[in-house]
C-alpha cells in the first residue's frame, strides 16, 4: 500500500497555499456563522442555513453575488409555489402529486433553456418547493405551512448573508483582474493559434486547438458576468467587454477562413508564408502599428490585375491584422480606464446562448414521471420517510438534468451519499451525542470543514465528490433544533435519501438523455436553419449574432467523447460561418457593372439551392461548384479590378463549399 499521502509535506494543512487557506477559512467560518444564527433564531432545521452558505462558496466576489441573487430569487419563488400548491392540494394526495410534479417539470424545462442565473434560480425554485411541500404533508394546521415556509426561507437567506459577510472580511482575488488577465492571455493565444493554422505543413491538433479556443472565449463570457456584478467599473464597460469578445470570435472565424483558402491553394508562393511569419512576429510586439504591418503586406499584395487568389487572401489577411490591432487597443483602454470613464464601441448584442428545446422537454418529462412514480409509491405504502426520499429525487432530477453528464453526476452523488451515511453515523452517535452546547459542536465542526474545503481544492479529480460531501453533510448529520438522537429515525431518513437518489439514477438510466450523436444532429439542423435565414434579404440575426450563435452550438459538445459528433458539428459550423461572412461581403459589395451585379445575385441564389434544413443537396452542390469555377474563369477574362475582386470572393466561397461534399445527403 502507498502511504505517501501521510507524509508531513502531503498533509492538506501543510500543502495548502495562502489562497487555499483564505478560501477554506472563509467558507468554514460562513457555514459556522450561518448555523449559529439559525440556532439563535430558533429555526427548527438550522442545517439548511449551513447548506446555503456552502452552496454559494464561490472563489470570486462576482460569482458569489450573482449566485446569491439567483438563490434568493429562486428560494422566494419556490416558497411561493410551495405555499400555493400545498395550501390548496394537501387534502387531495393525487392532486398534490400532479401539482408538485408539474411545477418541478416546469422548473426543469426553464433551467435547461438557460445557462446563467435564470437557470440557477429556477433550479432553486424547483427543489425549494419540493423541500417545503414534501415536509408539509403531515401537518394538520394550515398555519404550520406558513411557519415551515418562513423557516426555510430564513435559513436560506441567513446562509447567503453569512457567506456575503465573510466574502467582505476575507475577499478573494478581484474578478476584474482575473478578467483582464484572461483577455490578454486569450489575445496572445489567438496569435499562437494563427501561427498553428497558417503554417505550410498540416498539423494534427488543429481541430482540437480550434475547439479549445472557441470554448475559452465563451468561458470568458462567464468571467465578464462575474466582473459585472463585482465592480462598478466593469458594469460601465460591459459594452466594451461584449464588443471585445465578439471581435475575438471574429478573429477565430477569419483564421479558419484563411486556413480553408490555403488548403485549397497548394501552390501558394513561399513568400506568402514568410510574410505571414513576419506579420505574426510584428503583431506580438507591444508597439505594433498599421504602418509597419502595411509595409509587410505590400510585399505580397499583387496589383489589381494580379493573381485573384492571392489578392483575396491578402485582403482577408489584412482584415485579420487590422482587427487584431483594434482588439489590442480596446484591451489597453479597458486596462487603464478608471471608474468614471465611458467608451462607445460599435454596438453589439450579448453572446448568443441558444437552448436545445427537445432536450429540455425530455428532461421535464423525466422529472414529472419520476416524481409521480415516487409519490404513487409513497401514497400506497404510507412510507414515513417518503418526504426525505422524494426531496432528494427532486434535487437530483432538477439540478443535474442540465449537467454535461447527468448520469455520471447522479452516480457520483449516490456514491457520495453512501460515504456520507457512514460518516454521519460515526459523527452523530460517536461525537455529537456527547455534546450539549453549540460552541462545543462548532469547535468540532470548524476544523472538519476547513479540512474538507482543502481536500476539495487540492484533489482536483475528487473535487465534485468533496463539494457534494460538504453541501449534503448538514442534512445527513441532521443538525436540528432541538437535536434528535433516535436511531430508527436516523437510519430511515438517511436510507430514504439514498433511495431517493437511486430512484433519480434509475430515471436517468431508463429515460436517458440524448446521445451526443443525436444532439449533434439537432445542433447541426439548428445551424442550417439559422444559415438559411442569413440568405434572406432581411435576415433575423445580424452577422455578429449569427457568429456567436454558431460558436455557442459548437461549444455544447466540447466535452463530448463522441469524436465524430464533435467533428461534424465543428465542420458544419465553420463552413456555414465562412459562407455567411462571404454572403455579407457580397451584400455590401456594390459593383458599377450590372453584369457583375447579376453574377453576385446568382451566387447568392445558388446557395439557397444547396442547403436545406435536412442536409446538403449534393446534385445542386456539384452544379454550383462547377458553375463557380466557370464563372471565375469568365471573370478572369475581363480586365478590370472589380471582376478580379469578385473572382476572389467567389473562389473563397468555392473553397468553403467544397468541404460539404463529405456531408450526408439531404
Amino acid at each position: 500500500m502507498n502511504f505517501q499521502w501521510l507524509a508531513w509535506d502531503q498533509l492538506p494543512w501543510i500543502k495548502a497555499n495562502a489562497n487555499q487557506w483564505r478560501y477554506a477559512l472563509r467558507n468554514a467560518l460562513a457555514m459556522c456563522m450561518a448555523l449559529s444564527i439559525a440556532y439563535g433564531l430558533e429555526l427548527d432545521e438550522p442545517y439548511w442555513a449551513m447548506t446555503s452558505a456552502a452552496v454559494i462558496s464561490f472563489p470570486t466576489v462576482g460569482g458569489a453575488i450573482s449566485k446569491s441573487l439567483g438563490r434568493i430569487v429562486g428560494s422566494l419563488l419556490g416558497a411561493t409555489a410551495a405555499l400555493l400548491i400545498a395550501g390548496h392540494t394537501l387534502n387531495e394526495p393525487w392532486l398534490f402529486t400532479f401539482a408538485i410534479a408539474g411545477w418541478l417539470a416546469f422548473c426543469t424545462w426553464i433551467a435547461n433553456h438557460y445557462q446563467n442565473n435564470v437557470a440557477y434560480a429556477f433550479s432553486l425554485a424547483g427543489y425549494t418547493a419540493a423541500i417545503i411541500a414534501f415536509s408539509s404533508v403531515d401537518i394538520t394546521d394550515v398555519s404550520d405551512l406558513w411557519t415551515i415556509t418562513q423557516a426555510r426561507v430564513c435559513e436560506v437567506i441567513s446562509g447567503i448573508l453569512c457567506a456575503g459577510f465573510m466574502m467582505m472580511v476575507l475577499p478573494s482575488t478581484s474578478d476584474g483582474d482575473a478578467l483582464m488577465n484572461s483577455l490578454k492571455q486569450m489575445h496572445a493565444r489567438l496569435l499562437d493559434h494563427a501561427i498553428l493554422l497558417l503554417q505550410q505543413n498540416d498539423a494534427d491538433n488543429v481541430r482540437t486547438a480550434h475547439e479549445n479556443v472557441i470554448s475559452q472565449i465563451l468561458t470568458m463570457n462567464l468571467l465578464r458576468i462575474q466582473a459585472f456584478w463585482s465592480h462598478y467599473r466593469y458594469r460601465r464597460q460591459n459594452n466594451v467587454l461584449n464588443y471585445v469578445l465578439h471581435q475575438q470570435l471574429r478573429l477565430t472565424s477569419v483564421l479558419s477562413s484563411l486556413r480553408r483558402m490555403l488548403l485549397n491553394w497548394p501552390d501558394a508562393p513561399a513568400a506568402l508564408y514568410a510574410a505571414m511569419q513576419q506579420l505574426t512576429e510584428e503583431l506580438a510586439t507591444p508597439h505594433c502599428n498599421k504602418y509597419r504591418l502595411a509595409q509587410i503586406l505590400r510585399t505580397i499584395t499583387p496589383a489589381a490585375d494580379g493573381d485573384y487568389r492571392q489578392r483575396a487572401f491578402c485582403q482577408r489577411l489584412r482584415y485579420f491584422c487590422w482587427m487584431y490591432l483594434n482588439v489590442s487597443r480596446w484591451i489597453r483602454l479597458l486596462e487603464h480606464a478608471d471608474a468614471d470613464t465611458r467608451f462607445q464601441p460599435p454596438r453589439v448584442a450579448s453572446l448568443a446562448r441558444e437552448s436545445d428545446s427537445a432536450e429540455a422537454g425530455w428532461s421535464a418529462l423525466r422529472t414529472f414521471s419520476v416524481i409521480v412514480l415516487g409519490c404513487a409509491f409513497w401514497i400506497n405504502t404510507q412510507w414515513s420517510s417518503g418526504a426525505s426520499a422524494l426531496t432528494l429525487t427532486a434535487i437530483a432530477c432538477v439540478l443535474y438534468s442540465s449537467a454535461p453528464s447527468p448520469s455520471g453526476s447522479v452516480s457520483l452523488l449516490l456514491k457520495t451519499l453512501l460515504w456520507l451515511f457512514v460518516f454521519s453515523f460515526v459523527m452523530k452517535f460517536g461525537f455529537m451525542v456527547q455534546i450539549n452546547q453549540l460552541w462545543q459542536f462548532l469547535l468540532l465542526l470548524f476544523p472538519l470543514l476547513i479540512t474538507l474545503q482543502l481536500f476539495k481544492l487540492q484533489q482536483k479529480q475528487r473535487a465534485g465528490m468533496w463539494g457534494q460531501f460538504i453541501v449534503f453533510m448538514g442534512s445527513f448529520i441532521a443538525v436540528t433544533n432541538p437535536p434528535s438522537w433516535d436511531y430508527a429515525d436516523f437510519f430511515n431518513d438517511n436510507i430514504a435519501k439514498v433511495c431517493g437518489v437511486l430512484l433519480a439514477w434509475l430515471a436517468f438510466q431508463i429515460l436517458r438523455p440524448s446521445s451526443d450523436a443525436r444532439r449533434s444532429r439537432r445542433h447541426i439542423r439548428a445551424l442550417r436553419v439559422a444559415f438559411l435565414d442569413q440568405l434572406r434579404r432581411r435576415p433575423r440575426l445580424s452577422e455578429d449574432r449569427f457568429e456567436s450563435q454558431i460558436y455557442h452550438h459548437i461549444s455544447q459538445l466540447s466535452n463530448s467523447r463522441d469524436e465524430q459528433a464533435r467533428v461534424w458539428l465543428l465542420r458544419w459550423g465553420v463552413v456555414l460561418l465562412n459562407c455567411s461572412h462571404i454572403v455579407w461581403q457580397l451584400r455590401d459589395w456594390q459593383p458599377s457593372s450590372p453584369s457583375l451585379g447579376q453574377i453576385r445575385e446568382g451566387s447568392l441564389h445558388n446557395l439557397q439551392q444547396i442547403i436545406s434544413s435536412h442536409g446538403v443537396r449534393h446534385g445542386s452542390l456539384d452544379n454550383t461548384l462547377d458553375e463557380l469555377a466557370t464563372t471565375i474563369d469568365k471573370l478572369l477574362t475581363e480586365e478590370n479590378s472589380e471582376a478580379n475582386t469578385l473572382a476572389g470572393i467567389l473562389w473563397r466561397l468555392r473553397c468553403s463549399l467544397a468541404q460539404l461534399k463529405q456531408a450526408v445527403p439531404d
Side-chain angles (χ1 to χ4, degrees), residues 296-357:
I296 301 173
L297 287 167
R298 182 184 178 187
T299 61
I300 56 173
T301 304
D305 57 349
D307 189 337
Y308 68 98
R309 296 172 300 181
Q310 191 165 342
R311 282 194 70 204
F313 185 88
C314 290
Q315 287 172 357
R316 205 64 182 163
L317 185 61
R318 182 184 61 184
Y319 180 65
F320 171 82
C321 293
W322 282 191
M323 186 180 296
Y324 191 90
L325 279 183
N326 183 48
V327 176
S328 300
R329 181 177 69 89
W330 280 110
I331 292 176
R332 285 197 303 271
L333 289 174
L334 270 176
E335 191 175 13
H336 297 100
D338 55 30
D340 297 324
T341 305
R342 296 198 70 138
F343 299 111
Q344 292 297 330
R347 186 178 179 83
V348 293
S350 299
L351 294 180
R353 286 197 171 277
E354 296 297 315
S355 58
D356 189 343
S357 297

Side-chain angles (χ1 to χ4, degrees), residues 545-563:
R545 188 74 176 173
F546 175 74
E547 183 174 45
S548 65
Q549 186 180 102
I550 289 275
Y551 283 131
H552 172 70
H553 281 291
I554 291 173
S555 70
Q556 294 304 291
L557 292 184
S558 58
N559 296 321
S560 170
R561 296 181 181 179
D562 190 338
E563 184 174 1

Side-chain angles (χ1 to χ4, degrees), residues 284-585:
T285 60
H287 302 293
C288 178
N289 57 73
K290 282 188 176 182
Y291 179 72
R292 176 58 188 147
L293 295 175
Q295 286 181 317
I296 301 173
L297 287 167
R298 182 184 178 187
T299 61
I300 56 173
T301 304
D305 57 349
D307 189 337
Y308 68 98
R309 296 172 300 181
Q310 191 165 342
R311 282 194 70 204
F313 185 88
C314 290
Q315 287 172 357
R316 205 64 182 163
L317 185 61
R318 182 184 61 184
Y319 180 65
F320 171 82
C321 293
W322 282 191
M323 186 180 296
Y324 191 90
L325 279 183
N326 183 48
V327 176
S328 300
R329 181 177 69 89
W330 280 110
I331 292 176
R332 285 197 303 271
L333 289 174
L334 270 176
E335 191 175 13
H336 297 100
D338 55 30
D340 297 324
T341 305
R342 296 198 70 138
F343 299 111
Q344 292 297 330
R347 186 178 179 83
V348 293
S350 299
L351 294 180
R353 286 197 171 277
E354 296 297 315
S355 58
D356 189 343
S357 297
E359 192 66 28
W362 183 246
S363 297
L365 176 63
R366 182 194 305 115
T367 300
F368 182 85
S369 302
V370 72
I371 295 299
V372 170
L373 180 63
C375 286
F377 177 81
W378 186 11
I379 292 170
N380 289 313
T381 61
Q382 295 296 304
W383 188 16
S384 61
S385 297
S388 298
L390 267 295
T391 298
L392 265 293
T393 302
I395 290 174
C397 286
V398 175
L399 198 59
Y400 295 121
S401 62
S402 57
S405 177
S407 300
S409 299
V410 176
S411 299
L412 178 62
L413 178 60
L414 186 60
K415 185 192 303 182
T416 303
L417 295 190
L418 290 173
W419 280 108
L420 195 52
F421 190 179
V422 178
F423 168 81
S424 60
F425 177 77
V426 175
M427 181 76 172
K428 189 176 183 71
F429 296 103
F431 297 97
M432 291 173 59
V433 73
Q434 304 178 42
I435 295 173
N436 54 20
Q437 294 292 330
L438 178 61
W439 66 268
Q440 295 172 342
F441 175 65
L442 293 178
L443 287 179
L444 173 66
L445 182 66
F446 181 66
L448 174 63
L449 289 175
I450 287 180
T451 304
L452 292 175
Q453 295 284 359
L454 291 176
F455 279 152
K456 186 176 76 170
L457 294 174
Q458 295 171 6
Q459 299 180 13
K460 301 296 185 183
Q461 294 181 342
R462 298 189 182 94
M465 185 193 74
W466 290 120
Q468 292 175 346
F469 198 98
I470 294 167
V471 168
F472 288 98
M473 182 177 64
S475 62
F476 263 73
I477 61 178
V479 187
T480 56
N481 186 19
S484 172
W485 310 108
D486 189 285
Y487 273 99
D489 287 346
F490 174 83
F491 276 96
N492 285 338
D493 282 348
N494 286 347
I495 290 174
K497 290 170 184 174
V498 174
C499 290
V501 176
L502 184 60
L503 178 60
W505 179 82
L506 287 173
F508 278 104
Q509 296 302 313
I510 296 172
L511 300 177
R512 288 177 173 271
S514 300
S515 65
D516 289 337
R518 185 173 296 175
R519 290 174 59 205
S520 175
R521 289 193 294 270
R522 285 203 299 266
H523 285 300
I524 290 172
R525 179 182 173 85
L527 295 183
R528 290 194 293 255
V529 171
F531 177 73
L532 291 174
D533 172 74
Q534 292 287 291
L535 298 179
R536 297 166 54 191
R537 289 191 178 275
R538 293 180 179 176
R540 181 176 57 89
L541 298 177
S542 66
E543 186 177 10
D544 290 331
R545 188 74 176 173
F546 175 74
E547 183 174 45
S548 65
Q549 186 180 102
I550 289 275
Y551 283 131
H552 172 70
H553 281 291
I554 291 173
S555 70
Q556 294 304 291
L557 292 184
S558 58
N559 296 321
S560 170
R561 296 181 181 179
D562 190 338
E563 184 174 1
Q564 187 176 10
R566 291 202 325 270
V567 167
W568 274 109
L569 180 57
L570 179 64
R571 185 173 292 167
W572 268 102
V574 169
V575 169
L576 296 181
L577 196 53
N578 289 338
C579 291
S580 74
H581 289 321
I582 296 169
V583 167
W584 284 95
Q585 185 176 356

Side-chain angles (χ1 to χ4, degrees), residues 13 162 196 199 251 315 339 405 439 466 507 520 548 587 610:
W13 313 283
C162 290
L196 175 66
Q199 61 184 344
L251 286 170
Q315 287 172 357
S405 177
W439 66 268
W466 290 120
S520 175
S548 65
R587 281 202 189 103
I610 296 173

